[in-house]
Amino acid sequence: MTTATQTAATGNHLSTGAALLTLMKLRTFIALFAVIIFFSIFAPNFLSTANMILMSKHATQNAFLAIGMTFVIITGGIDLSVGSIVGLCGMIAGGLIMYGVALPLGYTVYFNVVEVAVIVAIVGIVIGAVNGLLITRLNVAPFIATLGTLYVARGMALLYSDGQTLPNLTGREDLGNQGFAYLGSGSILGLPVSVWILIVVALGAAYFARFVPLGRHIFAVGGNERASRMSGIRVNRVKMFVYMFSGFCAAIVGLVISSELMASHPATGTNLELNAIAAAVLGGTSMSGGRGTIGGTIIGAFVIGILSDGLVMMGVSSFWQMVIKGLVIIVAVVVDQAQRRLQQRVTLMQMAKAG
Amino acid sequence: MNATDDGDVILELKDITKAYSGIVALKKANLKLRRGAVNVLVGENGAGKSTMMRIIAGVERPTLGEIWMDGERIHLNSPADAVRHGIGIVFQELNLFGNLSVAENIFATREITRGLRGIDHKAQVEKANEFLNRLEAGISADTLAEDLPIGQQQLVEIARAVSLDTRILIMDEPTSALSAAEVDVLFRVIADLKARGVAIVYISHRLEELMRIGDYITVLKDGQITGHAMVKDIDTRWIVRSMIGSDAKDFAKQVEHEPGAEVFRTEDICLPRAQGGYAVDHVSIGVRKGEILGIYGLMGAGRSELFECIMGRHEHYTGKIFVEGEELKGRDTTRRIREGLSLIPEDRQREGLVQSMSIADNLSMASLGQFLKAGFHIDLKREKEAIANAIRNLSIKAMNPDLDVTSMSGGNQQKVVIGKALMTGPKVLLMDEPSRGIDVGAKADVFRTMRRLAGEGLAILFSTSDLEEVMALSDRIAVMSNGRLVMVVDRKDATEDMVISASAEGHKTKRMHA
């Protein structure tokens, strides 16, 4: 064995390693293009405007939740309760429009649509705050704390109407609470309102992650909690924020879905938390914390959305859809791990060579 | 001086390189271990001895290089592999299961069983006692490991390694917690093992010990082998020369300037220990503007704990802390930093850096509040300028501040942690073992930086367990021992003997009680 060939071999190894790394880093983009190209060939009408708008509406719901989830996961936590918050918030929105709030002395207060939206958003934030308090003050592991609120919130949603759907949320003219449908079915410049809201929330979140100290601290806390604490970052405050924000995102989805259907059903949002986690992970968010981007998450949400809609259009059975979705997620994580290992090896090899 | 190749080699490391993120711990190191002999390994802290042993014990895998045993190339992918090849190790840090008995510790992973009836505890205790008696340890094998004092725990570790019936036995500083009598017993056991053909690898800082029991000696410096010889051919002077190299340590020269008024003072800082007693025992200490106060102490002297109390890490400490005469009210780190204190933690990886972030983000993470516009918007331009300033001032070798912080060497990582602390604009800088785990060149850089900062009027408190360091860097020297501050003395009046004997002070009284 000669040293010359060995060095050449390792040198080659290094450059192919670097090329592979770049490919892996772009994997979410590649996946997005892959699904779009695949379905535009195999699914009829896939590229029609109507279908595009419909798909973006579907993907939007996941994307909202995934944005909140991304921040939570970056801090090293998880929020399983978002699906249930969607359900509960939808029910509260429906209830406020249909029945208002009954005060003692026989009065009933009705709120207009904007006020309803604000109240529902606050409810989402409060549930998020409960998650945050359980995790920071009472030291409950995020998985367990949010698993608990998952059940509690879902149970409350069912209790709210005794399991019944609240239909026909058109409101009444004399009460001034009409127009709820705008959120789910209105459109501005041809784009659905919910997509516009998503754009605002996503840009806001991306701005926040880069330009606001609290946003930067999210990454520090997830990367190394002890070092963050030693650097004077108020770790508990950061964690409270991410769970509250996640609750807020879930409330928006609750509003959007019930507005779209003009009805509130207590089982709405079941399993949506899993879609949100999948989207975040697909978008490159590391489950061990510290890494992730809003942009990646949005792409991840669209990959998942397009994948399920496209499969429906192709007539693939829903049982197979589940299998395929699961495989995509697993592959995403495997590639993610491989990328990290490769990256580490490449840098270590470079250092060892440099001596 | 070349060693003769008469003893037969059992294990050989060929061109071993080991890179961790941030530091190359071993650079093309070659090592031959001979059977029936004590192979001594010496070197300064961070020279790579422990890394080398962890590779032999299968705990770490080499980044490059080969391991040969009995003329065959072997791969040690796990500690179990190493055990299968007959390699045993006594680690420097104690690795006992505190919640298990001594016998269970000794026979962990190879329990004596009786078929379906499970573990034969009686037989284990009997056999364990046998090994312990050979070490004259006076330990009963059915006591819980955590109930034993440190020295006896170390004996248990040794007994476990001996019981493995190994062909190669690595001992990483086995005597660091042993009394003189216990050391004698250990040496008898080593002689016995040697006679049975076991290759012993012996790592220690105590040169007299090495001269006494060593057969072959290998000296490591900065991850490279700098000397290999037979012990009978050499003297301690040779060891020191190979260890330190021709160039003596480069400590920054003292900048002559008079320290100013006292900016920092603690009064009666106390931190109770969970097991009773105090980790920090009524420490009152003051530092003046522009002064470097070195706190010397052995492991467990309470230096880090004192710093942590000062930074508000422990909720249940008592005592008062003053900065510029004002008593600090808040008890959390965030407020302490705002009030002008800053700490460079001892454990850079666990408490200093956020490994997933870039160099730039690490530098600015503690001081983002300074770059705000309109109360919430970070002015990226100002932030970038401040980061570039910090990189220039500390001469951090960062080609691109947006690269991951782990892509840098240990010394530069340490400078990033220092830079982060300085960017908060502290009046008092606490540095816990600032030179730990960085190479010689980077150390000199860090020391120069400390001098310069003191010259600019910063008050610096640093802790170290390196005598040379505390003597060379401090304006005043404080010695801590077993939680107590036993001595504070001007550098001019301090001698090495004074400092060393003071550092054992706290333990003496304890031993008398025991």
Side-chain angles (χ1 to χ4, degrees), chain A residues 43-93:
Chain A
N45 291 328
F46 179 80
L47 286 178
S48 70
T49 323
N51 183 52
M52 280 292 163
I53 287 177
L54 189 72
M55 281 198 312
S56 61
K57 265 170 121 171
H58 287 168
T60 301
Q61 294 168 9
N62 284 337
F64 275 122
L65 296 181
I67 291 172
M69 189 67 76
T70 300
F71 280 158
V72 171
I73 293 178
I74 290 174
T75 64
I78 191 88
D79 188 351
L80 299 178
S81 64
V82 289
S84 299
I85 299 177
V86 168
L88 180 58
C89 285
M91 291 308 288
I92 290 175

Side-chain angles (χ1 to χ4, degrees), chain B residues 367-397:
Chain B
S367 47
L368 290 173
Q370 293 170 12
F371 315 116
L372 291 189
K373 264 201 310 215
F376 66 93
H377 175 91
I378 300 173
D379 186 342
L380 290 192
K381 215 174 115 213
R382 262 167 63 206
E383 187 198 1
K384 223 171 154 185
E385 274 167 21
I387 289 167
N389 259 333
I391 289 176
R392 205 169 39 244
N393 280 341
L394 293 168
S395 51
I396 299 172
K397 289 190 199 76

Side-chain angles (χ1 to χ4, degrees), chain B residues 250-267:
Chain B
D250 181 13
F251 287 108
K253 281 281 162 295
Q254 200 142 342
V255 186
E256 277 310 322
H257 68 96
E258 267 306 299
E262 184 178 84
V263 284
F264 175 77
R265 186 156 45 92
T266 70
E267 272 177 18

Side-chain angles (χ1 to χ4, degrees), chain A residues 57 60-61 64 93 97 113-114 116-118 120-121 178-188 191-198 251-262:
Chain A
K57 265 170 121 171
T60 301
Q61 294 168 9
F64 275 122
I97 288 171
V113 174
V114 176
V116 167
V118 170
V120 168
Q178 284 177 308
F180 188 55
Y182 184 67
L183 201 55
S185 18
S187 72
I188 304 171
L191 269 185
V193 172
S194 58
V195 174
W196 282 109
I197 300 176
L198 175 70
I252 296 180
V253 176
L255 285 168
V256 167
I257 293 181
S258 28
S259 155
E260 214 166 273
L261 304 172
M262 285 312 273

Side-chain angles (χ1 to χ4, degrees), chain B residues 147-222:
Chain B
D147 293 340
L148 297 173
I150 293 283
Q152 294 200 333
Q153 287 191 19
Q154 202 157 26
L155 287 174
V156 172
E157 284 259 4
I158 294 166
R160 174 165 71 185
V162 170
S163 77
L164 281 170
D165 223 0
T166 53
R167 295 198 290 154
I168 298 174
L169 180 56
I170 303 164
M171 298 184 166
D172 196 349
E173 306 227 20
T175 55
S176 57
L178 298 187
S179 69
E182 287 167 334
V183 170
D184 283 338
V185 176
L186 175 65
F187 283 5
R188 277 207 296 282
V189 173
I190 289 179
D192 178 39
L193 291 169
K194 210 169 100 175
R196 288 197 275 146
V198 176
I200 312 268
V201 183
Y202 193 90
I203 301 176
S204 180
H205 280 303
R206 304 183 183 174
L207 300 186
E208 338 72 85
E209 255 176 49
L210 305 180
M211 298 305 287
R212 207 170 120 201
I213 63 154
D215 294 310
Y216 297 90
I217 183 163
T218 305
V219 186
L220 267 171
K221 177 177 180 288
D222 296 333

Side-chain angles (χ1 to χ4, degrees), chain A residues 99-123:
Chain A
Y99 308 124
V101 174
L103 295 179
L105 305 174
Y107 289 102
T108 303
V109 179
Y110 287 90
F111 300 97
N112 69 31
V113 174
V114 176
E115 287 162 350
V116 167
V118 170
I119 293 170
V120 168
I122 289 171
V123 169

Side-chain angles (χ1 to χ4, degrees), chain A residues 207 211 216 224 226 231 234, chain B residues 332 350-351 353 377-378:
Chain A
Y207 168 83
F211 286 94
R216 294 270 194 95
N224 189 340
R226 280 175 73 135
S231 303
R234 295 192 194 276
Chain B
D332 59 321
R350 284 176 65 201
E351 306 197 318
L353 297 170
H377 175 91
I378 300 173

